[in-house]
Amino acid sequence: MNDEYDGKNAVITGGSSGIGLATAKLLVDAGARVVITGRSRATLDAAAKELGDNATAVMSDVSSLSDLDGLAARVRDELGTLDALFVNAGVTTAAPLESTTEEMFDTSFAVNVKGAFFTVQKLAPLLRTGAGVVLTTSAANVMGLAGTSVYAAGKAALRSMARTLSGELLPRGIRVNAISPGPVDTGTLERTMTEEAAERFKAERVADNPMHRFGTPEEIAGAMAFLAFDATYTTGSEFVVDGGSTQL
């Protein structure tokens, strides 16, 4: 444990597993106080136990504005102000054009786009001067991967949002950036696809990746923390962390 982020306060939506949990662990281990959110009580409880006393786990669905109002009130009561906001909650929608339903489309955009926008809106009043906001996009937003049209479109919207929100919040001294992970093995694919489809998709991504591997949640967490706290002359940008898959 170190004290790099001692005295810092952060919120991480979708912080109970995967990249969000890895980021929470990095921050807590370095002295920060962190509020994580998620939609599964069991997963949140397990994350809270792993993170310890400097973390608070809040049941919250980012697609629900009333939940976001409750989250903002809880954060105000427990932390007061924020140094970092990680807008990380999201769902993965993988289906070809012909089998994508209206429900799948609406759910994806409700969480990945609407949820992200209103997370920033509701928590922005708590952000201190010099705070950093990080939106989680995806390498899929520029790759044209078959079967990801709805998901990729939502992540492209977040890339645009990073630019426009950075312009709106910059007068307050708040930076807004996006992080664009490539393939990261967090178990999400197995939860959203059949086992066979997930293994096939993973094999294709590894074969196409210049580093020939998936990234780890910890690698993305380090980049997220950099954007939030250390990239003090950077705003409106997208930091690509994808093993070179969109660059080479």
Side-chain angles (χ1 to χ4, degrees):
M1 185 170 180
N2 61 66
D3 60 358
E4 182 177 3
Y5 301 125
D6 188 39
K8 301 295 186 182
N9 298 329
V11 166
I12 306 171
T13 63
S16 60
S17 62
I19 293 168
L21 179 58
T23 304
K25 183 170 175 53
L26 183 157
L27 298 182
V28 166
D29 286 349
R33 297 174 65 199
V34 176
V35 170
I36 63 170
T37 76
R39 297 188 293 181
S40 163
R41 173 49 62 191
T43 305
L44 277 169
D45 287 346
K49 183 177 181 180
E50 180 178 350
L51 293 170
D53 293 341
N54 267 13
T56 300
V58 178
M59 278 277 287
S60 182
D61 181 349
V62 297
S63 68
S64 165
L65 267 63
S66 62
D67 277 14
L68 289 175
D69 284 332
L71 172 64
R74 181 82 177 269
V75 171
R76 186 182 299 109
D77 290 343
E78 297 204 11
L79 301 182
T81 56
L82 290 173
D83 301 283
L85 171 59
F86 299 91
V87 184
N88 178 69
V91 294
T92 302
T93 303
L97 173 65
E98 61 272 15
S99 59
T100 298
T101 65
E102 181 181 18
E103 181 182 7
M104 293 166 65
F105 185 100
D106 288 346
T107 298
S108 182
F109 268 69
V111 175
N112 294 348
V113 183
K114 172 189 167 185
F117 179 86
F118 284 104
T119 294
V120 178
Q121 184 196 72
K122 300 295 186 180
L123 293 175
L126 304 180
L127 292 168
R128 294 174 178 168
T129 298
V133 178
V134 181
L135 309 178
T136 303
T137 62
S138 168
N141 72 27
V142 297
M143 294 185 71
L145 298 172
T148 68
S149 57
V150 173
Y151 172 77
K155 292 300 185 178
L158 289 186
R159 173 64 188 103
S160 175
M161 206 177 290
R163 289 190 174 100
T164 52
L165 293 179
S166 67
E168 289 199 42
L169 294 176
L170 193 55
R172 290 181 51 199
I174 296 165
R175 297 170 296 103
V176 182
N177 292 290
I179 189 159
S180 180
V184 180
D185 197 357
T186 63
T188 298
L189 292 174
E190 287 78 2
R191 294 191 295 271
T192 57
M193 299 180 178
T194 66
E195 181 178 353
E196 180 182 355
E199 287 304 315
R200 184 170 62 251
F201 185 85
K202 288 166 69 173
E204 290 171 352
R205 298 284 70 76
V206 168
D208 291 341
N209 192 285
M211 289 190 177
H212 298 300
R213 68 176 179 87
F214 272 51
T216 68
E218 291 73 22
E219 287 175 312
I220 310 303
M224 292 181 79
F226 168 76
L227 278 180
F229 295 105
D230 301 317
T232 54
Y233 196 47
T234 303
T235 194
S237 73
E238 183 179 46
F239 187 6
V240 177
V241 190
D242 66 358
S245 59
T246 62
Q247 309 299 311
L248 304 179

